[in-house]
Amino acid sequence: MNMIEMKDIRKEYPLGETVVHALRGIDLSVQEGGFISIIGPSGSGKTTLLNIIGCIDTPTEGSVKIGGEDITSLDDKKLTNIRLFKVGFIFQTFNLIPVLNLLENVEFPLLLMKEHKLSKTDIRERAEKAIEEVGLKDFLDHRPAELSGGQRQRVAIARALVTNPQIVLADEPTANLDSETGAAILELMKHLNETEKTTFIFSTHDPDVLKYASQVVKIRDGHIESTGKPGRSLKTGKTRSKAHVGKAGSTGKRRR
Amino acid sequence: MRLILALSLRNLLRQKRRNLFLGIAICFGMMILVLAISFSQGLTDTLLNRVVVYIAGHMSIVTMEESNKDRRIIRDKEKFINIVKSNIKDIKKVWESIGVFARVIGNSRADNAIIVGRVADKDFLEYLGQNLVEGNLGDFTSGAVENPVILYSNKAKTLGVKYRDTINARFATITKQQQSVRLNVAAVLRSSNLFEEMAMFVNLKDLKSLVGLKPHETGALYISFKRINNPDHAIREAIKLHKLLKPDVAVIYGEAVNKNRSSNATALGYAGDKESLSIMNKHVSLLSGAMPAEKSENEALVSKNLAADFKLRSGDRITYRYKNKYENLTTENRYRVAGIFNSAGISDRNIILLNERSFYKTYLQNLPADARKYKQAYVPLRRSALYPVFEPEWKLLPRTSTFEAMQLKMRDMTKTKWKGPWLDVRTMYESADFILKLEYALKLVAFTAVLILFFIILIGVLNTLRMTVRERTREIGTMRAIGMQRTDVKYLFIAETVLLTAIACVAGIILSFIVMWVLGLFTINTDSVLSILLVNRRLHFLPTAASIAGNYILIILMAAATAYFPARRASNLSAVTALGHFE
Amino acid sequence: MALIARIAWRNIQRHRGKSLVIGIILFLGALIMTIGNGVVSGMERGLRDGIINRFTGQIVVISGRQEQDNVIFTPLGKDVQVITGYEKIKHALETSGYVDKFIPVGKGLTLVLNENGDVGYSLVLGVNFEEYQKMFMNNVKLVEGAFLNKDDRGILITSGNRKRFYDELDFWFMPEGVKLNDKNLTDEALKYKDRLDVKNDIVLMGSSMENTTMDLRLKVKGIVKYEYLDDYWKNFNIIDIESFREAFQYVTASDAAVNIPSYQRKLLETDNLDSLFEDNVVTKAGAGNKKYEIAELIGKRAARKKPGIDSGAYNIIFVKLKKGGSIEKSLRKLNDAFKAAGAEARAVPWGNAVGQLADLAMIMRGATIGFVMLIFFVAVIIIMNTLSMAALERVSEIGMMRAVGAQKSFISGMFFAETAVISSVFGGAGIIAGGICISILNLLHITTDNNILELLFGGNVLRPTLGFFDIMIGVIELAVVTVIAAAYPLTVARRITPLDAVTRD
């Protein structure tokens, strides 16, 4: 079954006096459990595409189905609920809520699920499990400011996964991390993709990252240029022979 | 909702400095508001519950004779006291009030004063004890000292008198005679406000006899309620009392005497106004003689039956005597028979009709025993045609709800020049409604001032929130992306502001209580107008839970309304732009 | 310097929102302050016009034995002690050099008697009317009848008192020979016009310190009104000083000695209380029917003095100083002069003499100033907050400036220049708007009948004024607010380092 089905997606938005055609007719289907990478140069429309998949943006034209449900004509409230229940986000800049500690940040989306009324212990258990999976069990009461970039991104991953979403979207998740930490994060994502069968879609322009992908979608100027397996349809630079799966917390401490 | 509150509280704590500044401003504004309102209420409390209630009672019954508002005499005080006590709820005390304006002379110094009659009851003695500067309260209560007087220290200083000195006083009696009397200073009191200093206290009994009031008579009846400061109750009871005090026809039952022969007879007064006279013309036929002139005194119309009994003719004289209600006395008057009348339905009765002047002259000064107890007495029935003609026991003034209306009512009453007693039921909330108006005005001024303060404060809040929204745009985008609803984002920002306001206002209220307490520590010695604002030479604040809570809620609502717009802007941010926002 | 100004100006434009908020607050503060100052100074000028120029002068001389300075509005019409040794005081005043004019008067409370026995009261001012008018800028205006001419005996009743008498005693006082004029009748009197009990004379009973009382029948010469603050002064009817002395028994054989200690002592010793009040003729109703031969009554104790010779019995002297004279200095000099001359008198400032009125004015002035202070306090806090937030918002910018070599003083200068520009533009606009509001208020000609407001207005018309001095005070207050409000944010901005700019998350 196709997790995502996009047909002839176009997105235009005004910029000053001109109109930017961010997406010019995208057709894309994504299978459940995929680990898809979207690549392309700056301004090619990667982020716009992800935003539309993540229901935080709507296409000017075309239709999007997520898990079989057409979302193109839904109102804000329903879209928000799709984000809450079906989609997880991982941002380039981590975007944790500064006033909440690690645990609370992960609990946050669960707390927003008013309709489901999860019990306190339930929430706590699920959050702790998610944190454990990203290897940050010892940092539960730390505030985001007290964590390194890699740790923050792990928290973001835990937050994205805690709701058991069908899709996790990651917009350049490693761009703000050093290469070692970035690799560790991707290893983690891949691992979760395999164990939890969650669909991952991430954008990147780092060729090193591509080897993790099950499928690579290349876009340029709002068009899909090519899709395929990594390493075949794409020229890759020198590949690193070894991926370092570091332990959580041992990653470098570089701030933006 | 709890999530939003927890988040907003943390956000408040995150931005400590700006919220502290705003908090201080809000706290300050609230403090000023509470102080101002408590002060206004304190002022009203001082004036109403510490001054006016002593001067006027919560409720009072006043009767004024000869349509003169200063001629206050209640002739049958027991009757009214009984009506009050058996019908009015929650009474603390009913007391007689007599006060006369007097010229007083001390040791070579003179001044004016109001001499007030008081009964040395527990309340009063307690008050005296608390404020005693010098003297001996025993002198006032024992009866061993003749005409003991208690006055305030300022007045004592003006008059140059001390304990055991004498004061000569002169004032008018109820019959407008000038009375001179020597008063002995029994005690000197500490005065706590300007109004009090004018009063001098003497024993009620002494004063009554000095102004010429008999024991069963009094000046006015004042009623205080157990429930202090409850205008609704006082006004409700006043309306009830007013309804109960509908007058009946004033009837004198006695006997007519002529040449050693006597026969029972009823004396009634008839009204002299045009309307009454035309009713008289219609229903009363004059057999001989003429109607007594309006201004004539001691002239009477005699019924055919009585005239026949005594073989009276116009111009003859007749003696009429009746038993008084009090003191076991008999009053005897002599009237010239101005005319002899007959009227359908009462042709078999012995009746003497007197004009207004002659009737009330005897009726008021020598109150007759209740005629309704005697079978032979003629008591006109309400349905009888002549009923409206006969003079009533008193006339009831309409209830009025403001001081102005009362003044107008008094003026109209004065103009009637009616000789009988006018009865008025008032409450201090009406006769002193200017005090309530003053409180209202003060509160309004204070509230307007604080509103301007809050306008400035809320501009600050608005701006701060605007900047906060800008700073936290990315955060808002994240929360929206994760799945927070638009409205929740809005509530989050409103909650932050409301929480800040709520906490700062509580701090403001606490601070205002501290300030009130500190201000209350100082004694202020002043003789100026300011002194009316003081209780025991201290500023008096009266914070009430209701007014504080009301204003608290109002300010929180104002803050919420202010926060609404920036909060809505925050919630309307599109997640895409919010996420893409970099400062 | 030019650079700082240029950057500051651009910043103001860039952060329009912030500038606008600070601007609005400063504008409001300056506006309210200006209007407040205008009203207060208008009130002061009004009171000066209404009280000093038209009622009391700057200084009031009272007897040395008088306990309280407050002699005009005394509770229950408390007696004011007679000034003894007027000649000495007069001499001291005349030779002082700084006194422009003065007028001695008698002030007291009289009872108003009435045929039916009801008693009213009236405050009276016994004066030489022509001099009084000259001294107080013709403050007394005629409503009906005529003024008191020289050597006239009679009373001028104020229309306020006439209304009160009518309400309380049911008489309508009119000067003789004057026809009822509907225009001058109160609504109530008009209603009962045909039943109006018109009287052309009034019987007053004054009470003197010496405890004797005296009835006096006076012709109503005119009905008058005070031009300024009539609501307060209307309580005073004016009678000629001779009648005043008779009513209050100030009449003396030898001019100086008003006190008769032996007589007093005798009075106090006497057992027959009624003899204390021997001249009392109102023992029964109908007093008004009696004819009074004043000379005859007075003659018993004191020879009637010849008209035109000042017997010197007064209880208050109003003194006006020459232009520019200091009240405090003059008071000191006058009191010294009285002491030197052995006169038992005391000079007090006018404010003391009109106690309550001055107190009320002071309370209102205090409240207005207090309110302006409150506004500024809140404004300072809000501006402080806004500015320090603005400083933090610009951390990277300021840090960068510091990184490229700007001194702390440059940062302070830039910051302060911004605030100063906003403050002078918006604050200045506030002061100008305040000035405009004041002129509009003047044009609107707002009048009041409320006597408290009348005090705040300094008359029955609201006439706020704004002088150069008031504006200067406004500018200084504004500057102080700006400096205080900018001080803290300035230190915040100065503390920003280049490192903060680059390491900020």
Side-chain angles (χ1 to χ4, degrees), chain A residues 77-101:
Chain A
K77 199 165 177 166
K78 292 213 173 89
L79 286 176
T80 306
N81 276 332
I82 288 177
R83 290 202 296 271
L84 181 58
F85 291 100
K86 293 189 177 171
V87 184
F89 278 94
I90 300 165
F91 301 96
Q92 181 183 355
T93 48
F94 327 132
N95 290 16
L96 300 179
I97 297 168
V99 293
L100 302 179
N101 65 25

Side-chain angles (χ1 to χ4, degrees), chain C residues 80-194:
Chain C
V80 179
Q81 299 276 345
V82 184
I83 296 173
T84 50
Y86 174 63
E87 283 303 321
K88 291 177 198 162
I89 295 164
K90 189 177 171 194
H91 186 252
L93 287 169
E94 277 168 350
T95 55
S96 68
Y98 43 82
V99 169
D100 182 29
K101 287 179 215 151
F102 64 92
I103 186 167
V105 303
K107 180 232 142 187
L109 180 83
T110 60
L111 299 183
V112 176
L113 305 178
N114 179 342
E115 278 91 344
N116 63 18
D118 291 332
V119 177
Y121 68 92
S122 160
L123 281 169
V124 293
L125 216 51
V127 298
N128 177 329
F129 187 70
E130 282 177 347
E131 276 181 35
Y132 184 83
Q133 282 289 72
K134 236 182 269 164
M135 169 98 172
F136 292 117
M137 312 172 78
N138 295 318
N139 192 31
V140 181
K141 300 288 171 207
L142 197 64
V143 177
E144 274 174 3
F147 280 143
L148 284 170
N149 290 322
K150 210 177 169 207
D151 296 335
D152 269 357
R153 308 292 297 259
I155 185 167
L156 300 176
I157 294 178
T158 62
S159 37
N161 267 332
R162 172 159 75 171
K163 176 179 183 294
R164 192 172 56 81
F165 287 144
Y166 180 64
D167 290 342
E168 290 175 1
L169 302 173
D170 212 16
F171 296 142
W172 186 255
F173 285 109
M174 294 277 290
E176 209 164 17
V178 174
K179 278 206 184 109
L180 273 180
N181 183 347
D182 287 0
K183 204 179 73 200
N184 294 329
L185 291 177
T186 61
D187 294 347
E188 195 64 17
L190 203 58
K191 210 164 106 190
Y192 295 96
K193 194 183 165 193
D194 44 341

Side-chain angles (χ1 to χ4, degrees), chain B residues 17-19 21-22 24-25 28-29 32 68-71 101 103 105-114 154-155 157-158 168-170 172 175-182 194 198 408 411-412 414-417 448-450 452-453 455-461 463-468 470-471 474 526-530 533 583, chain C residues 15 17-18 21 24-25 28-29 32 67-68 75-79 81 109 111 116-119 163 166-168 170 188 191-192 195 205 207-209 211 213 264 268 270-271 273-274 276-277 280 282-285 355-357 359-360 362-363 371 374-375 377-379 381-382 384-386 388-390 392-393 488 492 495 504-505:
Chain B
R17 176 167 35 205
R18 69 180 62 161
N19 290 318
F21 274 130
L22 290 179
I24 289 173
F28 183 75
I32 298 293
N68 182 333
K69 68 180 165 56
D70 294 324
R71 197 162 289 187
F101 180 88
R103 179 81 185 160
I105 306 155
N107 285 328
S108 79
R109 309 251 188 84
D111 200 359
N112 303 318
I114 292 168
N154 279 10
K155 187 67 86 187
K157 205 172 134 202
T158 308
N168 295 311
R170 195 178 61 149
T175 50
K176 301 294 154 193
Q177 304 288 314
Q178 292 293 323
Q179 171 79 276
S180 300
V181 63
R182 179 165 285 176
L194 213 65
M198 301 174 187
L408 211 66
R411 267 210 308 256
D412 287 342
T414 308
K415 301 291 178 265
T416 64
K417 308 216 166 143
T448 316
V450 171
I452 295 176
L453 282 188
F455 182 69
I456 291 178
I457 293 170
L458 292 177
I459 287 179
V461 169
N463 183 51
T464 307
L465 213 55
R466 201 178 55 93
M467 286 170 93
T468 305
R470 202 163 62 202
E471 272 173 26
R474 215 143 45 89
T526 175
D527 289 328
S528 70
V529 181
L530 279 171
L533 309 180
E583 288 159 38
Chain C
H15 303 284
K18 179 211 77 176
V21 166
I24 289 174
I25 293 171
L28 270 177
I32 293 168
E67 269 177 44
Q68 276 146 343
L76 276 186
K78 207 174 206 167
D79 292 336
Q81 299 276 345
L109 180 83
L111 299 183
N116 63 18
D118 291 332
V119 177
K163 176 179 183 294
Y166 180 64
D167 290 342
E168 290 175 1
D170 212 16
E188 195 64 17
K191 210 164 106 190
Y192 295 96
R195 286 163 51 188
M205 184 169 81
S207 33
S208 76
M209 280 296 183
N211 313 331
T213 49
Q264 257 182 36
L268 288 165
T270 182
D271 267 344
L273 282 171
D274 280 331
L276 272 175
F277 310 104
N280 164 35
V282 232
T283 47
K284 55 174 180 279
Q356 293 93 326
L357 214 55
D359 288 344
L360 271 179
M362 192 192 73
I363 290 172
F371 177 54
L374 287 184
I375 291 218
F377 178 78
V378 169
I381 290 179
I382 297 295
M384 224 182 238
N385 182 41
T386 310
S388 51
M389 271 164 62
L392 290 180
E393 218 177 26
Y488 174 74
V492 172
R495 257 188 266 139
R504 193 156 165 261
D505 192 309

Side-chain angles (χ1 to χ4, degrees), chain C residues 294-343:
Chain C
I294 289 153
E296 196 183 291
L297 285 168
I298 301 300
K300 283 193 281 192
R301 202 173 305 123
R304 178 116 196 267
K305 41 169 227 48
K306 289 172 212 136
I309 296 174
D310 202 337
S311 75
Y314 299 101
N315 57 15
I316 296 174
I317 306 168
F318 296 124
V319 179
K320 269 192 182 173
L321 299 176
K322 284 191 174 144
K323 255 213 169 93
S326 148
I327 296 183
E328 271 171 51
K329 266 189 214 158
S330 311
L331 271 174
R332 219 176 314 121
K333 281 193 214 161
L334 261 184
N335 279 323
D336 289 346
F338 292 157
K339 210 179 269 173

Side-chain angles (χ1 to χ4, degrees), chain B residues 423-474:
Chain B
L423 190 144
D424 193 24
V425 178
R426 2 178 129 144
T427 75
M428 72 174 185
Y429 301 102
E430 297 144 9
S431 44
D433 81 319
F434 60 92
I435 292 174
L436 296 176
K437 277 187 196 154
L438 181 71
E439 178 191 340
Y440 178 74
L442 277 180
K443 275 186 176 170
L444 197 70
V445 167
F447 192 74
T448 316
V450 171
L451 219 57
I452 295 176
L453 282 188
F454 269 95
F455 182 69
I456 291 178
I457 293 170
L458 292 177
I459 287 179
V461 169
L462 195 72
N463 183 51
T464 307
L465 213 55
R466 201 178 55 93
M467 286 170 93
T468 305
V469 168
R470 202 163 62 202
E471 272 173 26
R472 299 216 313 247
T473 302
R474 215 143 45 89

Side-chain angles (χ1 to χ4, degrees), chain B residues 194-246:
Chain B
L194 213 65
F195 297 113
E196 289 179 346
E197 285 162 22
M198 301 174 187
M200 283 180 157
F201 301 110
V202 301
N203 273 313
L204 181 74
K205 226 171 69 207
D206 294 347
L207 187 62
K208 271 173 86 168
S209 76
L210 289 172
V211 299
L213 286 171
K214 292 170 197 157
H216 59 271
E217 296 173 336
T218 192
L221 283 177
Y222 287 1
I223 297 130
S224 64
F225 291 114
K226 282 180 197 146
R227 295 186 215 177
I228 277 195
N229 219 357
N230 187 344
D232 293 342
H233 177 73
I235 289 167
R236 201 169 44 238
E237 295 301 305
I239 292 171
K240 193 160 108 192
L241 183 60
H242 188 258
K243 279 191 188 135
L244 287 169
L245 290 178
K246 289 253 150 52

